[in-house]
Amino acid sequence: MVLQAEHFAFHDLPEKTYSIELNGPIKLYLQVTAPLTVTAGATEMAFEFGDDTEVLVGARSYHDSPATTITTTEDPHDMMAAISALSSSLKTASCERSYPTLRGHPPTIELGDELDIPDGLSAPETGVTLQVPPKLEALYVVAPLAYYLGAEIEPGETAQLITETGSVHPLGTGEAFERTVERLLKQTFFLDCLTRTEGYYQVSLHERSAVEEHIPFSLKERYSQSVGEQLEADLEVPYDRIKPHLPEWKLTTHIPPAPENVEILPFLVNDLAIVRTPTASTVTQPEAQTAAVDEFMRDTFTRATTDGEQSSISVVQPESMNSLEQAWVGENAPLGATKATVSAFRNRLHRTVTNQDIDITVVCNDEAMLDEQHAAADVYGSREELPFNVTLTSNLTVSELGQVLESDVDFLHYIGHIDDDGFQCTDGKLNVRTLESVGVDAFMLNACRSYTQGMRLIEGGSVGGVVTLDEVIDSGAFRIGSTMARLLNLGFPLRAALTIAADQSIIGSQYLVVGDGNVDIAHAESLTPHICDVRTRDDGFDVSIRTYPTRNMGIGTLFCPHIGDNQDQFLSSGHIKTFTVGREELYEFLSLEETPVIFDGEFTWSTDIVAES
């Protein structure tokens, strides 16, 4: 590796054969034999090769779709074989698999009458075995660890990890088992991220410099070891010694041990999600909605509809976990977590790109809320480098709104009124259940009680969306809706965008994501969306940066903030570091791209801060 070029870089290199790797929505590669000059500004980069030069151009997409499908019965022994085969999508068994682009999407799993693992699916031969009791609650918990280690899952009386040398490491039982599996995945992944700097990409990694002196082995030696040898050494490192330096894990998912839930595992494994057996508390009846109420939820909402059916939504509070995001699989609507469904993930796989434009439709069926539509219109498509096609409509009839929901729309931002009977239109109500198909990929239903209709959009073909559980105050809905629009436009996925937007209103707890929380409508300019917390001090500013992984830039991605004199790379996911900078350095950093900022406790945007300076 000769150099890494970032913002405002200038490098002049002599004539040699160079390979240039460009990270973007796709991986782009250039190979050239020539003198090379690299010049970069805030938003562009140029390469000059002297005289006319032949340049070899290569590209590859990210492996974000499964290659095939595995069929399994409900027998736990068959499921062991099926889950063990998920690691066939790993591009390597080396520590470079900690890069998200070298893991690959696992095959999907479907329940059937017999076990069928397609020919050609070969898991890496790491020599690692995970023995667990043949119970679904154990199998689901170890699935992400088995995938990452390329391990074979086998039945055993107790849960234990066995390496190629025969070394046995107990994994505990009950809640201790789940905690041990979680820690082992995080620890091994983290040490792989440190070790890979001895390989292809020898970058200056902040976490390595912070931890290396506390590790009782050489990372250079670990790089050449097998997975089993690495594990044996890793287990000698006290977890508490590295815990403060771990990236905040992207996702924890609560999955009931039901046979049908094996079908959602590949999509969670693809995110390296921590899997836990559900423990949750029922949310109590709220008080009346007032500005003084911090949050309000109803235990069960039961409402009669015009066709006589009853809709009952039980709301639960999943146990809090140390991760950026949480997802809930199964019955009930989760508070503070995504309602994940296998149908949503499968809908994403079945979607095809029909054109190059990003089609966004903003519908306002309530004249009192036109301000939100105007705010959304100003935001969506404001990035000139992205091909947005924004359509604004209002006061739609049942037929007109039905046509919108059935059309191929990348994102629908709906503003109006919804209940269990459907969307309020000028001539009645539209129930999604009456539609022949749903063409909308993702959506935000910024209306009261939109949960039921949002779930029906997912069942009809949508991938993910934001909904509400009950009544929402108009002023709070406007704040959340307009903030969501701006965050989505900047490349934040649904789940991350809602996490930030919900904090800006007392009614934020009424909103949740349904389906696939990884859905986005654009990519961030820096590819990794982030938020800054700026605190004024006597001699400058403290700038704390929090990053959010995306579907393409998952956990294990590197992030280099161009702030002050920083040259270090950081592992993306959660808080990375607090930088102390002067006024000029702060404003230079904030001018690089538009990002959300909490400035001395007040939520704002980097562009607004720079404009006022």
Side-chain angles (χ1 to χ4, degrees):
M1 184 168 174
V2 178
L3 63 86
Q4 179 167 316
E6 301 287 353
H7 292 286
F8 307 110
F10 178 81
H11 301 280
D12 207 356
L13 303 176
E15 181 172 351
K16 286 186 178 180
T17 298
Y18 297 103
S19 293
I20 303 169
E21 179 180 331
L22 302 172
N23 293 314
I26 64 170
K27 281 279 191 178
L28 188 65
Y29 303 89
L30 310 177
Q31 184 170 296
V32 60
T33 300
L36 174 60
T37 300
V38 183
T39 307
T43 60
E44 72 287 326
M45 182 175 290
F47 301 91
E48 297 178 57
F49 309 117
D51 298 331
D52 289 350
T53 304
E54 182 180 86
V55 181
L56 180 65
V57 180
R60 70 175 175 90
S61 62
Y62 299 109
H63 179 186
D64 57 2
S65 297
T68 188
T69 298
I70 298 169
T71 304
T72 179
T73 69
E74 296 184 3
D75 186 301
H77 296 83
D78 286 345
M79 287 193 180
M80 287 182 177
I83 296 172
S84 297
L86 295 181
S87 61
S88 61
S89 67
L90 293 176
K91 307 304 180 187
T92 177
S94 74
C95 59
E96 273 86 12
R97 71 190 187 284
S98 57
Y99 284 112
T101 57
L102 292 178
R103 290 196 289 270
H105 198 300
T108 54
I109 295 179
E110 291 182 356
L111 284 175
D113 297 329
E114 61 181 8
L115 176 66
D116 181 19
I117 300 176
D119 295 337
L121 285 188
S122 57
E125 296 180 2
T126 64
V128 178
T129 301
L130 286 168
Q131 285 189 352
V132 295
K135 298 179 179 180
L136 299 188
E137 52 263 44
L139 282 179
Y140 293 176
V141 168
V142 299
L145 178 63
Y147 163 78
Y148 185 73
L149 297 180
E152 190 77 19
I153 306 177
E154 295 181 353
E157 293 185 6
T158 60
Q160 52 190 10
L161 170 75
I162 305 173
T163 66
E164 58 191 339
T165 64
S167 179
V168 178
H169 303 272
L171 299 177
T173 59
E175 187 176 342
F177 162 70
E178 295 189 358
R179 287 199 305 269
T180 301
V181 170
E182 175 183 347
R183 288 184 172 190
L184 184 55
L185 175 58
K186 290 180 177 180
Q187 181 161 337
T188 300
F189 174 85
F190 178 68
L191 292 172
D192 278 349
C193 289
L194 306 190
T195 304
R196 73 192 188 193
T197 59
E198 291 289 339
Y200 301 116
Y201 304 99
Q202 298 182 5
V203 300
S204 175
L205 184 65
H206 169 78
E207 289 81 1
R208 175 171 179 167
S209 61
V211 171
E212 188 167 14
E213 64 178 341
H214 304 297
I215 299 175
F217 50 77
S218 164
L219 292 176
K220 185 173 184 178
E221 292 179 0
R222 186 182 184 274
Y223 183 79
S224 60
Q225 292 176 335
S226 66
V227 174
E229 291 171 330
Q230 291 173 345
L231 279 171
E232 292 178 20
D234 296 349
L235 290 167
E236 298 299 319
V237 180
Y239 184 76
D240 289 341
R241 188 176 295 175
I242 64 171
K243 182 180 178 181
H245 306 283
L246 294 173
E248 192 171 354
W249 214 250
K250 178 186 178 184
L251 178 64
T252 296
T253 306
H254 307 262
I255 307 180
E260 64 270 17
N261 287 336
V262 72
E263 297 186 347
I264 204 171
L265 277 181
F267 303 100
L268 304 177
V269 162
N270 186 53
D271 253 348
L272 279 190
I274 299 299
V275 173
R276 301 296 295 266
T277 303
T279 55
S281 58
T282 302
V283 178
T284 59
Q285 181 81 13
E287 300 179 64
Q289 295 188 29
T290 68
V293 178
D294 289 332
E295 60 181 28
F296 47 90
M297 283 291 151
R298 287 197 172 96
D299 176 13
T300 302
F301 312 118
T302 304
R303 300 184 288 271
T305 59
T306 55
D307 59 5
E309 70 173 339
Q310 294 283 326
S311 175
S312 179
I313 306 172
S314 295
V315 181
V316 295
Q317 173 76 68
E319 180 185 0
S320 179
M321 294 294 167
N322 185 27
S323 59
L324 281 174
E325 304 161 2
Q326 293 197 77
W328 178 269
V329 178
E331 301 297 324
N332 307 324
L335 180 64
T338 296
K339 168 78 170 183
T341 67
V342 69
S343 59
F345 291 109
R346 286 179 173 160
N347 291 343
R348 175 174 61 81
L349 300 180
H350 297 150
R351 293 291 182 180
T352 57
V353 178
T354 56
N355 57 55
Q356 294 181 342
D357 290 340
I358 302 169
D359 291 319
I360 297 174
T361 298
V362 184
V363 176
C364 182
N365 264 11
D366 182 356
E367 291 187 357
M369 302 175 73
L370 283 172
D371 284 349
E372 182 178 338
Q373 186 183 45
H374 296 155
D378 291 339
V379 170
Y380 292 128
S382 60
R383 293 172 59 186
E384 295 181 357
E385 77 276 16
L386 296 178
F388 283 101
N389 180 22
V390 182
T391 302
L392 305 179
T393 60
S394 59
N395 298 323
L396 299 186
T397 64
V398 169
S399 175
E400 290 169 339
L401 182 58
Q403 292 176 9
V404 170
L405 296 178
E406 290 180 337
S407 62
D408 291 330
V409 174
D410 294 297
F411 186 75
L412 167 69
H413 188 140
Y414 177 85
I415 307 158
H417 296 284
I418 298 177
D419 58 24
D420 288 341
D421 292 333
F423 293 75
Q424 180 67 56
C425 300
T426 57
D427 60 346
K429 293 184 179 180
L430 171 66
N431 195 316
V432 174
R433 183 173 289 172
T434 64
L435 299 178
E436 293 184 4
S437 63
V438 173
V440 171
D441 281 356
F443 54 86
M444 179 173 186
L445 305 184
N446 202 10
C448 298
R449 298 187 296 175
S450 59
Y451 175 83
T452 299
Q453 293 299 309
M455 289 301 296
R456 288 174 182 167
L457 285 174
I458 297 293
E459 294 163 4
S462 291
V463 180
V466 175
V467 298
T468 62
L469 289 168
D470 200 41
E471 304 292 336
V472 290
I473 304 169
D474 284 353
S475 59
F478 170 77
R479 187 176 299 111
I480 289 179
S482 56
T483 304
M484 280 287 299
R486 203 158 176 177
L487 291 168
L488 292 171
N489 191 63
L490 296 179
F492 283 82
L494 279 180
R495 192 158 45 207
L498 182 60
T499 298
I500 296 172
D503 285 342
Q504 312 314 314
S505 173
I506 62 170
I507 64 168
S509 59
Q510 288 286 66
Y511 289 79
L512 76 154
V513 173
V514 293
D516 183 358
N518 281 328
V519 172
D520 56 28
I521 64 171
H523 63 268
E525 288 187 36
S526 61
L527 299 184
T528 299
H530 54 280
I531 184 172
C532 300
D533 190 336
V534 180
R535 302 284 174 170
T536 303
R537 48 187 291 162
D538 292 340
D539 58 346
F541 302 89
D542 285 335
V543 184
S544 176
I545 301 175
R546 175 177 292 272
T547 64
Y548 291 86
T550 66
R551 184 160 59 91
N552 286 334
M553 297 292 157
I555 191 165
T557 295
L558 293 175
F559 179 73
C560 181
H562 302 287
I563 182 169
D565 59 358
N566 175 65
Q567 296 295 321
D568 282 347
Q569 298 276 352
F570 295 81
L571 295 176
S572 172
S573 193
H575 175 260
I576 59 168
K577 186 181 178 180
T578 297
F579 301 86
T580 300
V581 296
R583 181 180 181 86
E584 184 177 341
E585 292 172 312
L586 171 65
Y587 283 83
E588 184 177 88
F589 172 65
L590 295 180
S591 66
L592 291 176
E593 65 176 308
E594 183 177 5
T595 59
V597 178
I598 300 174
F599 199 104
D600 288 335
E602 295 293 326
F603 184 83
T604 183
W605 306 89
S606 60
T607 47
D608 295 342
I609 296 173
V610 172
E612 294 171 1
S613 63

